[in-house]
Amino acid sequence: QVQLVESGGDLVQPGGSLRLSCKAPRSITSVFNAHDMAWYRQAPGKQRELVARESRGSTNYADSVKGRFTISRDNSRKTVYLQMNSLKPEDTAIYYCSAVNRANSALQYWGQGTQVTVSA
């Protein structure tokens, strides 16, 4: 099963920063550029929600994170990042990375998730 690999989750105080990383598996590294990348999150008792998406250099964000989070990708490293600043307790969730093949949206890959906890 193809799976992305996330890292960078941690416990951080309100107002702090974290950078999450997501590396593509070998099976799609040769076509990494052909995938739209996104970060989702799921808090306890809530549905998974889209946080940020990047497609061919264009980005979009959930209203709740605009101005605080930044998604970026490094095609040479086959990695996508989520820089999170000014973190709030309500950002606490498991964060998941997703890759969707632009030519065939049925080909979507996920990571195992990384826990972000914002607490004093």
Side-chain angles (χ1 to χ4, degrees):
Q1 183 178 358
V2 176
Q3 192 169 49
L4 304 164
V5 179
E6 302 110 332
S7 61
D10 205 345
L11 170 64
V12 63
Q13 291 188 344
S17 297
L18 281 175
R19 188 176 81 155
L20 306 183
S21 300
C22 169
K23 187 167 177 61
R26 289 181 182 178
S27 57
I28 67 168
T29 53
S30 63
V31 293
F32 179 76
N33 296 3
H35 288 72
D36 291 341
M37 302 300 297
W39 287 95
Y40 290 76
R41 68 185 180 187
Q42 187 166 19
K46 295 187 177 182
Q47 289 188 332
R48 188 174 296 189
E49 63 173 350
L50 176 66
V51 175
R53 179 189 287 123
E54 193 279 345
S55 176
R56 294 174 173 168
S58 181
T59 59
N60 60 283
Y61 299 90
D63 288 343
S64 59
V65 307
K66 280 181 182 176
R68 300 188 297 122
F69 290 12
T70 303
I71 187 171
S72 61
R73 67 192 290 165
D74 184 337
N75 288 332
S76 66
R77 296 177 184 271
K78 315 302 181 188
T79 300
V80 64
Y81 304 98
L82 185 67
Q83 178 66 43
M84 305 186 295
N85 298 327
S86 303
L87 283 161
K88 305 175 181 180
E90 51 264 43
D91 295 318
T92 296
I94 299 175
Y95 283 70
Y96 298 91
C97 179
S98 166
V100 178
N101 190 295
R102 291 191 203 102
N104 183 356
S105 60
L107 296 177
Q108 183 171 16
Y109 311 101
W110 293 91
Q112 80 289 351
T114 186
Q115 176 70 48
V116 172
T117 302
V118 184
S119 175

PDB file of all heavy atoms in Angstrom, residues 72-104:
ATOM      1  N   SER A  72       4.114  24.464   1.350  1.00  0.00           N
ATOM      2  CA  SER A  72       5.123  24.597   0.307  1.00  0.00           C
ATOM      3  C   SER A  72       5.609  23.207  -0.070  1.00  0.00           C
ATOM      4  O   SER A  72       5.393  22.244   0.672  1.00  0.00           O
ATOM      5  CB  SER A  72       6.296  25.460   0.787  1.00  0.00           C
ATOM      6  OG  SER A  72       6.932  24.873   1.908  1.00  0.00           O
ATOM      7  N   ARG A  73       6.243  23.120  -1.218  1.00  0.00           N
ATOM      8  CA  ARG A  73       6.750  21.829  -1.656  1.00  0.00           C
ATOM      9  C   ARG A  73       8.146  21.991  -2.233  1.00  0.00           C
ATOM     10  O   ARG A  73       8.472  23.035  -2.808  1.00  0.00           O
ATOM     11  CB  ARG A  73       5.815  21.166  -2.662  1.00  0.00           C
ATOM     12  CG  ARG A  73       5.712  21.873  -3.986  1.00  0.00           C
ATOM     13  CD  ARG A  73       4.556  21.329  -4.807  1.00  0.00           C
ATOM     14  NE  ARG A  73       4.787  19.979  -5.285  1.00  0.00           N
ATOM     15  CZ  ARG A  73       3.830  19.189  -5.762  1.00  0.00           C
ATOM     16  NH1 ARG A  73       2.591  19.614  -5.817  1.00  0.00           N
ATOM     17  NH2 ARG A  73       4.108  17.973  -6.201  1.00  0.00           N
ATOM     18  N   ASP A  74       8.933  20.952  -2.077  1.00  0.00           N
ATOM     19  CA  ASP A  74      10.272  20.888  -2.647  1.00  0.00           C
ATOM     20  C   ASP A  74      10.292  19.670  -3.555  1.00  0.00           C
ATOM     21  O   ASP A  74      10.424  18.539  -3.079  1.00  0.00           O
ATOM     22  CB  ASP A  74      11.322  20.774  -1.533  1.00  0.00           C
ATOM     23  CG  ASP A  74      12.742  20.804  -2.060  1.00  0.00           C
ATOM     24  OD1 ASP A  74      12.947  20.479  -3.247  1.00  0.00           O
ATOM     25  OD2 ASP A  74      13.651  21.122  -1.277  1.00  0.00           O
ATOM     26  N   ASN A  75      10.149  19.906  -4.849  1.00  0.00           N
ATOM     27  CA  ASN A  75      10.059  18.782  -5.774  1.00  0.00           C
ATOM     28  C   ASN A  75      11.354  17.975  -5.827  1.00  0.00           C
ATOM     29  O   ASN A  75      11.331  16.772  -6.084  1.00  0.00           O
ATOM     30  CB  ASN A  75       9.681  19.275  -7.166  1.00  0.00           C
ATOM     31  CG  ASN A  75       8.233  19.728  -7.237  1.00  0.00           C
ATOM     32  OD1 ASN A  75       7.379  19.251  -6.485  1.00  0.00           O
ATOM     33  ND2 ASN A  75       7.945  20.655  -8.137  1.00  0.00           N
ATOM     34  N   SER A  76      12.479  18.623  -5.589  1.00  0.00           N
ATOM     35  CA  SER A  76      13.745  17.887  -5.624  1.00  0.00           C
ATOM     36  C   SER A  76      13.859  16.904  -4.466  1.00  0.00           C
ATOM     37  O   SER A  76      14.501  15.859  -4.597  1.00  0.00           O
ATOM     38  CB  SER A  76      14.922  18.865  -5.593  1.00  0.00           C
ATOM     39  OG  SER A  76      14.967  19.560  -4.353  1.00  0.00           O
ATOM     40  N   ARG A  77      13.206  17.224  -3.368  1.00  0.00           N
ATOM     41  CA  ARG A  77      13.210  16.336  -2.196  1.00  0.00           C
ATOM     42  C   ARG A  77      11.951  15.491  -2.102  1.00  0.00           C
ATOM     43  O   ARG A  77      11.806  14.687  -1.176  1.00  0.00           O
ATOM     44  CB  ARG A  77      13.355  17.156  -0.918  1.00  0.00           C
ATOM     45  CG  ARG A  77      14.682  17.895  -0.806  1.00  0.00           C
ATOM     46  CD  ARG A  77      14.733  18.746   0.462  1.00  0.00           C
ATOM     47  NE  ARG A  77      15.943  19.541   0.558  1.00  0.00           N
ATOM     48  CZ  ARG A  77      17.059  19.135   1.114  1.00  0.00           C
ATOM     49  NH1 ARG A  77      17.138  17.921   1.638  1.00  0.00           N
ATOM     50  NH2 ARG A  77      18.117  19.926   1.153  1.00  0.00           N
ATOM     51  N   LYS A  78      11.017  15.688  -3.055  1.00  0.00           N
ATOM     52  CA  LYS A  78       9.744  14.942  -3.048  1.00  0.00           C
ATOM     53  C   LYS A  78       9.035  15.119  -1.710  1.00  0.00           C
ATOM     54  O   LYS A  78       8.499  14.152  -1.124  1.00  0.00           O
ATOM     55  CB  LYS A  78       9.979  13.448  -3.329  1.00  0.00           C
ATOM     56  CG  LYS A  78      10.931  13.161  -4.466  1.00  0.00           C
ATOM     57  CD  LYS A  78      10.470  13.789  -5.766  1.00  0.00           C
ATOM     58  CE  LYS A  78      11.445  13.451  -6.903  1.00  0.00           C
ATOM     59  NZ  LYS A  78      11.135  14.209  -8.143  1.00  0.00           N
ATOM     60  N   THR A  79       9.045  16.340  -1.224  1.00  0.00           N
ATOM     61  CA  THR A  79       8.524  16.616   0.115  1.00  0.00           C
ATOM     62  C   THR A  79       7.621  17.839   0.083  1.00  0.00           C
ATOM     63  O   THR A  79       7.895  18.804  -0.645  1.00  0.00           O
ATOM     64  CB  THR A  79       9.690  16.842   1.097  1.00  0.00           C
ATOM     65  OG1 THR A  79      10.513  15.670   1.133  1.00  0.00           O
ATOM     66  CG2 THR A  79       9.178  17.135   2.500  1.00  0.00           C
ATOM     67  N   VAL A  80       6.580  17.803   0.885  1.00  0.00           N
ATOM     68  CA  VAL A  80       5.713  18.959   1.072  1.00  0.00           C
ATOM     69  C   VAL A  80       5.752  19.337   2.547  1.00  0.00           C
ATOM     70  O   VAL A  80       5.879  18.465   3.413  1.00  0.00           O
ATOM     71  CB  VAL A  80       4.277  18.669   0.595  1.00  0.00           C
ATOM     72  CG1 VAL A  80       3.616  17.581   1.418  1.00  0.00           C
ATOM     73  CG2 VAL A  80       3.433  19.926   0.607  1.00  0.00           C
ATOM     74  N   TYR A  81       5.654  20.626   2.822  1.00  0.00           N
ATOM     75  CA  TYR A  81       5.760  21.131   4.186  1.00  0.00           C
ATOM     76  C   TYR A  81       4.506  21.902   4.580  1.00  0.00           C
ATOM     77  O   TYR A  81       3.785  22.432   3.722  1.00  0.00           O
ATOM     78  CB  TYR A  81       6.976  22.061   4.308  1.00  0.00           C
ATOM     79  CG  TYR A  81       8.275  21.437   3.895  1.00  0.00           C
ATOM     80  CD1 TYR A  81       8.796  21.648   2.622  1.00  0.00           C
ATOM     81  CD2 TYR A  81       8.991  20.640   4.782  1.00  0.00           C
ATOM     82  CE1 TYR A  81       9.995  21.077   2.236  1.00  0.00           C
ATOM     83  CE2 TYR A  81      10.201  20.060   4.400  1.00  0.00           C
ATOM     84  CZ  TYR A  81      10.697  20.279   3.129  1.00  0.00           C
ATOM     85  OH  TYR A  81      11.887  19.700   2.753  1.00  0.00           O
ATOM     86  N   LEU A  82       4.291  21.993   5.878  1.00  0.00           N
ATOM     87  CA  LEU A  82       3.263  22.880   6.408  1.00  0.00           C
ATOM     88  C   LEU A  82       3.898  23.648   7.559  1.00  0.00           C
ATOM     89  O   LEU A  82       4.173  23.079   8.617  1.00  0.00           O
ATOM     90  CB  LEU A  82       2.040  22.098   6.902  1.00  0.00           C
ATOM     91  CG  LEU A  82       0.881  22.977   7.368  1.00  0.00           C
ATOM     92  CD1 LEU A  82       0.269  23.738   6.183  1.00  0.00           C
ATOM     93  CD2 LEU A  82      -0.194  22.137   8.072  1.00  0.00           C
ATOM     94  N   GLN A  83       4.160  24.922   7.320  1.00  0.00           N
ATOM     95  CA  GLN A  83       4.686  25.796   8.360  1.00  0.00           C
ATOM     96  C   GLN A  83       3.507  26.371   9.118  1.00  0.00           C
ATOM     97  O   GLN A  83       2.630  27.000   8.516  1.00  0.00           O
ATOM     98  CB  GLN A  83       5.522  26.920   7.749  1.00  0.00           C
ATOM     99  CG  GLN A  83       6.061  27.909   8.764  1.00  0.00           C
ATOM    100  CD  GLN A  83       7.079  27.298   9.711  1.00  0.00           C
ATOM    101  OE1 GLN A  83       7.950  26.550   9.281  1.00  0.00           O
ATOM    102  NE2 GLN A  83       6.960  27.623  10.995  1.00  0.00           N
ATOM    103  N   MET A  84       3.488  26.160  10.418  1.00  0.00           N
ATOM    104  CA  MET A  84       2.373  26.592  11.250  1.00  0.00           C
ATOM    105  C   MET A  84       2.885  27.580  12.294  1.00  0.00           C
ATOM    106  O   MET A  84       3.727  27.211  13.124  1.00  0.00           O
ATOM    107  CB  MET A  84       1.728  25.378  11.932  1.00  0.00           C
ATOM    108  CG  MET A  84       1.292  24.295  10.959  1.00  0.00           C
ATOM    109  SD  MET A  84       0.379  22.961  11.751  1.00  0.00           S
ATOM    110  CE  MET A  84       1.647  22.290  12.817  1.00  0.00           C
ATOM    111  N   ASN A  85       2.390  28.790  12.231  1.00  0.00           N
ATOM    112  CA  ASN A  85       2.784  29.837  13.171  1.00  0.00           C
ATOM    113  C   ASN A  85       1.573  30.283  13.992  1.00  0.00           C
ATOM    114  O   ASN A  85       0.427  30.023  13.619  1.00  0.00           O
ATOM    115  CB  ASN A  85       3.361  31.031  12.420  1.00  0.00           C
ATOM    116  CG  ASN A  85       4.608  30.691  11.630  1.00  0.00           C
ATOM    117  OD1 ASN A  85       5.404  29.833  12.023  1.00  0.00           O
ATOM    118  ND2 ASN A  85       4.792  31.357  10.495  1.00  0.00           N
ATOM    119  N   SER A  86       1.858  30.965  15.080  1.00  0.00           N
ATOM    120  CA  SER A  86       0.790  31.490  15.946  1.00  0.00           C
ATOM    121  C   SER A  86      -0.237  30.411  16.270  1.00  0.00           C
ATOM    122  O   SER A  86      -1.456  30.629  16.145  1.00  0.00           O
ATOM    123  CB  SER A  86       0.103  32.693  15.273  1.00  0.00           C
ATOM    124  OG  SER A  86       1.030  33.704  14.966  1.00  0.00           O
ATOM    125  N   LEU A  87       0.249  29.285  16.688  1.00  0.00           N
ATOM    126  CA  LEU A  87      -0.632  28.140  16.936  1.00  0.00           C
ATOM    127  C   LEU A  87      -1.592  28.403  18.084  1.00  0.00           C
ATOM    128  O   LEU A  87      -1.253  29.079  19.071  1.00  0.00           O
ATOM    129  CB  LEU A  87       0.199  26.896  17.206  1.00  0.00           C
ATOM    130  CG  LEU A  87       0.804  26.261  15.943  1.00  0.00           C
ATOM    131  CD1 LEU A  87       1.952  25.338  16.294  1.00  0.00           C
ATOM    132  CD2 LEU A  87      -0.271  25.515  15.166  1.00  0.00           C
ATOM    133  N   LYS A  88      -2.792  27.843  17.930  1.00  0.00           N
ATOM    134  CA  LYS A  88      -3.853  27.999  18.918  1.00  0.00           C
ATOM    135  C   LYS A  88      -4.267  26.623  19.429  1.00  0.00           C
ATOM    136  O   LYS A  88      -4.101  25.624  18.715  1.00  0.00           O
ATOM    137  CB  LYS A  88      -5.054  28.682  18.273  1.00  0.00           C
ATOM    138  CG  LYS A  88      -4.762  30.014  17.613  1.00  0.00           C
ATOM    139  CD  LYS A  88      -5.994  30.555  16.905  1.00  0.00           C
ATOM    140  CE  LYS A  88      -5.709  31.874  16.214  1.00  0.00           C
ATOM    141  NZ  LYS A  88      -6.913  32.414  15.520  1.00  0.00           N
ATOM    142  N   PRO A  89      -4.856  26.567  20.612  1.00  0.00           N
ATOM    143  CA  PRO A  89      -5.329  25.265  21.121  1.00  0.00           C
ATOM    144  C   PRO A  89      -6.274  24.560  20.140  1.00  0.00           C
ATOM    145  O   PRO A  89      -6.251  23.326  20.041  1.00  0.00           O
ATOM    146  CB  PRO A  89      -6.035  25.642  22.417  1.00  0.00           C
ATOM    147  CG  PRO A  89      -5.309  26.865  22.885  1.00  0.00           C
ATOM    148  CD  PRO A  89      -4.991  27.613  21.626  1.00  0.00           C
ATOM    149  N   GLU A  90      -7.065  25.325  19.402  1.00  0.00           N
ATOM    150  CA  GLU A  90      -7.995  24.716  18.459  1.00  0.00           C
ATOM    151  C   GLU A  90      -7.301  24.127  17.224  1.00  0.00           C
ATOM    152  O   GLU A  90      -7.956  23.486  16.393  1.00  0.00           O
ATOM    153  CB  GLU A  90      -9.076  25.723  18.025  1.00  0.00           C
ATOM    154  CG  GLU A  90      -8.550  27.051  17.539  1.00  0.00           C
ATOM    155  CD  GLU A  90      -8.551  28.114  18.633  1.00  0.00           C
ATOM    156  OE1 GLU A  90      -8.167  27.800  19.792  1.00  0.00           O
ATOM    157  OE2 GLU A  90      -8.927  29.266  18.312  1.00  0.00           O
ATOM    158  N   ASP A  91      -6.011  24.327  17.099  1.00  0.00           N
ATOM    159  CA  ASP A  91      -5.258  23.668  16.034  1.00  0.00           C
ATOM    160  C   ASP A  91      -4.868  22.235  16.413  1.00  0.00           C
ATOM    161  O   ASP A  91      -4.319  21.510  15.580  1.00  0.00           O
ATOM    162  CB  ASP A  91      -3.983  24.462  15.707  1.00  0.00           C
ATOM    163  CG  ASP A  91      -4.274  25.827  15.119  1.00  0.00           C
ATOM    164  OD1 ASP A  91      -5.185  25.929  14.272  1.00  0.00           O
ATOM    165  OD2 ASP A  91      -3.589  26.797  15.502  1.00  0.00           O
ATOM    166  N   THR A  92      -5.120  21.868  17.646  1.00  0.00           N
ATOM    167  CA  THR A  92      -4.794  20.516  18.098  1.00  0.00           C
ATOM    168  C   THR A  92      -5.556  19.484  17.282  1.00  0.00           C
ATOM    169  O   THR A  92      -6.785  19.541  17.173  1.00  0.00           O
ATOM    170  CB  THR A  92      -5.132  20.357  19.589  1.00  0.00           C
ATOM    171  OG1 THR A  92      -4.293  21.233  20.356  1.00  0.00           O
ATOM    172  CG2 THR A  92      -4.923  18.918  20.044  1.00  0.00           C
ATOM    173  N   ALA A  93      -4.821  18.551  16.684  1.00  0.00           N
ATOM    174  CA  ALA A  93      -5.425  17.536  15.820  1.00  0.00           C
ATOM    175  C   ALA A  93      -4.335  16.599  15.324  1.00  0.00           C
ATOM    176  O   ALA A  93      -3.143  16.853  15.518  1.00  0.00           O
ATOM    177  CB  ALA A  93      -6.107  18.190  14.620  1.00  0.00           C
ATOM    178  N   ILE A  94      -4.785  15.543  14.682  1.00  0.00           N
ATOM    179  CA  ILE A  94      -3.860  14.724  13.903  1.00  0.00           C
ATOM    180  C   ILE A  94      -3.840  15.310  12.492  1.00  0.00           C
ATOM    181  O   ILE A  94      -4.901  15.511  11.887  1.00  0.00           O
ATOM    182  CB  ILE A  94      -4.282  13.251  13.865  1.00  0.00           C
ATOM    183  CG1 ILE A  94      -4.316  12.673  15.276  1.00  0.00           C
ATOM    184  CG2 ILE A  94      -3.317  12.445  12.995  1.00  0.00           C
ATOM    185  CD1 ILE A  94      -4.848  11.258  15.352  1.00  0.00           C
ATOM    186  N   TYR A  95      -2.648  15.576  11.995  1.00  0.00           N
ATOM    187  CA  TYR A  95      -2.491  16.171  10.677  1.00  0.00           C
ATOM    188  C   TYR A  95      -2.064  15.094   9.681  1.00  0.00           C
ATOM    189  O   TYR A  95      -1.126  14.325   9.934  1.00  0.00           O
ATOM    190  CB  TYR A  95      -1.456  17.291  10.728  1.00  0.00           C
ATOM    191  CG  TYR A  95      -1.998  18.556  11.353  1.00  0.00           C
ATOM    192  CD1 TYR A  95      -2.284  18.606  12.723  1.00  0.00           C
ATOM    193  CD2 TYR A  95      -2.282  19.677  10.591  1.00  0.00           C
ATOM    194  CE1 TYR A  95      -2.811  19.751  13.299  1.00  0.00           C
ATOM    195  CE2 TYR A  95      -2.804  20.829  11.167  1.00  0.00           C
ATOM    196  CZ  TYR A  95      -3.069  20.852  12.508  1.00  0.00           C
ATOM    197  OH  TYR A  95      -3.611  21.994  13.075  1.00  0.00           O
ATOM    198  N   TYR A  96      -2.775  15.065   8.558  1.00  0.00           N
ATOM    199  CA  TYR A  96      -2.534  14.072   7.522  1.00  0.00           C
ATOM    200  C   TYR A  96      -2.112  14.746   6.224  1.00  0.00           C
ATOM    201  O   TYR A  96      -2.658  15.780   5.839  1.00  0.00           O
ATOM    202  CB  TYR A  96      -3.798  13.264   7.243  1.00  0.00           C
ATOM    203  CG  TYR A  96      -4.309  12.463   8.410  1.00  0.00           C
ATOM    204  CD1 TYR A  96      -5.238  13.004   9.298  1.00  0.00           C
ATOM    205  CD2 TYR A  96      -3.879  11.154   8.632  1.00  0.00           C
ATOM    206  CE1 TYR A  96      -5.719  12.269  10.378  1.00  0.00           C
ATOM    207  CE2 TYR A  96      -4.360  10.406   9.699  1.00  0.00           C
ATOM    208  CZ  TYR A  96      -5.282  10.973  10.562  1.00  0.00           C
ATOM    209  OH  TYR A  96      -5.754  10.245  11.621  1.00  0.00           O
ATOM    210  N   CYS A  97      -1.193  14.104   5.543  1.00  0.00           N
ATOM    211  CA  CYS A  97      -0.747  14.560   4.236  1.00  0.00           C
ATOM    212  C   CYS A  97      -1.470  13.740   3.168  1.00  0.00           C
ATOM    213  O   CYS A  97      -1.737  12.546   3.361  1.00  0.00           O
ATOM    214  CB  CYS A  97       0.767  14.350   4.143  1.00  0.00           C
ATOM    215  SG  CYS A  97       1.487  14.817   2.586  1.00  0.00           S
ATOM    216  N   SER A  98      -1.774  14.396   2.040  1.00  0.00           N
ATOM    217  CA  SER A  98      -2.467  13.722   0.947  1.00  0.00           C
ATOM    218  C   SER A  98      -1.822  14.102  -0.381  1.00  0.00           C
ATOM    219  O   SER A  98      -1.415  15.250  -0.576  1.00  0.00           O
ATOM    220  CB  SER A  98      -3.941  14.133   0.942  1.00  0.00           C
ATOM    221  OG  SER A  98      -4.567  13.771  -0.268  1.00  0.00           O
ATOM    222  N   ALA A  99      -1.762  13.130  -1.279  1.00  0.00           N
ATOM    223  CA  ALA A  99      -1.293  13.364  -2.649  1.00  0.00           C
ATOM    224  C   ALA A  99      -2.350  12.847  -3.600  1.00  0.00           C
ATOM    225  O   ALA A  99      -2.826  11.714  -3.449  1.00  0.00           O
ATOM    226  CB  ALA A  99       0.037  12.662  -2.894  1.00  0.00           C
ATOM    227  N   VAL A 100      -2.739  13.666  -4.568  1.00  0.00           N
ATOM    228  CA  VAL A 100      -3.735  13.274  -5.551  1.00  0.00           C
ATOM    229  C   VAL A 100      -3.138  13.444  -6.944  1.00  0.00           C
ATOM    230  O   VAL A 100      -2.642  14.523  -7.293  1.00  0.00           O
ATOM    231  CB  VAL A 100      -5.014  14.125  -5.430  1.00  0.00           C
ATOM    232  CG1 VAL A 100      -6.016  13.731  -6.509  1.00  0.00           C
ATOM    233  CG2 VAL A 100      -5.633  13.971  -4.053  1.00  0.00           C
ATOM    234  N   ASN A 101      -3.228  12.390  -7.721  1.00  0.00           N
ATOM    235  CA  ASN A 101      -2.731  12.434  -9.090  1.00  0.00           C
ATOM    236  C   ASN A 101      -3.634  13.315  -9.942  1.00  0.00           C
ATOM    237  O   ASN A 101      -4.849  13.089 -10.010  1.00  0.00           O
ATOM    238  CB  ASN A 101      -2.683  11.008  -9.645  1.00  0.00           C
ATOM    239  CG  ASN A 101      -1.964  10.932 -10.975  1.00  0.00           C
ATOM    240  OD1 ASN A 101      -2.432  11.501 -11.959  1.00  0.00           O
ATOM    241  ND2 ASN A 101      -0.853  10.250 -11.010  1.00  0.00           N
ATOM    242  N   ARG A 102      -3.063  14.307 -10.592  1.00  0.00           N
ATOM    243  CA  ARG A 102      -3.882  15.245 -11.360  1.00  0.00           C
ATOM    244  C   ARG A 102      -4.554  14.578 -12.557  1.00  0.00           C
ATOM    245  O   ARG A 102      -5.652  14.968 -12.956  1.00  0.00           O
ATOM    246  CB  ARG A 102      -3.025  16.410 -11.859  1.00  0.00           C
ATOM    247  CG  ARG A 102      -2.550  17.324 -10.772  1.00  0.00           C
ATOM    248  CD  ARG A 102      -1.941  18.602 -11.329  1.00  0.00           C
ATOM    249  NE  ARG A 102      -1.049  19.172 -10.333  1.00  0.00           N
ATOM    250  CZ  ARG A 102       0.261  19.069 -10.366  1.00  0.00           C
ATOM    251  NH1 ARG A 102       0.847  18.467 -11.389  1.00  0.00           N
ATOM    252  NH2 ARG A 102       1.001  19.584  -9.404  1.00  0.00           N
ATOM    253  N   ALA A 103      -3.912  13.608 -13.133  1.00  0.00           N
ATOM    254  CA  ALA A 103      -4.480  12.943 -14.315  1.00  0.00           C
ATOM    255  C   ALA A 103      -5.561  11.936 -13.937  1.00  0.00           C
ATOM    256  O   ALA A 103      -6.398  11.585 -14.775  1.00  0.00           O
ATOM    257  CB  ALA A 103      -3.375  12.251 -15.095  1.00  0.00           C
ATOM    258  N   ASN A 104      -5.532  11.473 -12.709  1.00  0.00           N
ATOM    259  CA  ASN A 104      -6.511  10.487 -12.258  1.00  0.00           C
ATOM    260  C   ASN A 104      -6.754  10.712 -10.772  1.00  0.00           C
ATOM    261  O   ASN A 104      -6.026  10.195  -9.925  1.00  0.00           O
ATOM    262  CB  ASN A 104      -5.993   9.067 -12.504  1.00  0.00           C
ATOM    263  CG  ASN A 104      -6.995   7.992 -12.113  1.00  0.00           C
ATOM    264  OD1 ASN A 104      -8.069   8.302 -11.581  1.00  0.00           O
ATOM    265  ND2 ASN A 104      -6.655   6.750 -12.357  1.00  0.00           N
TER     266      ASN A 104
END
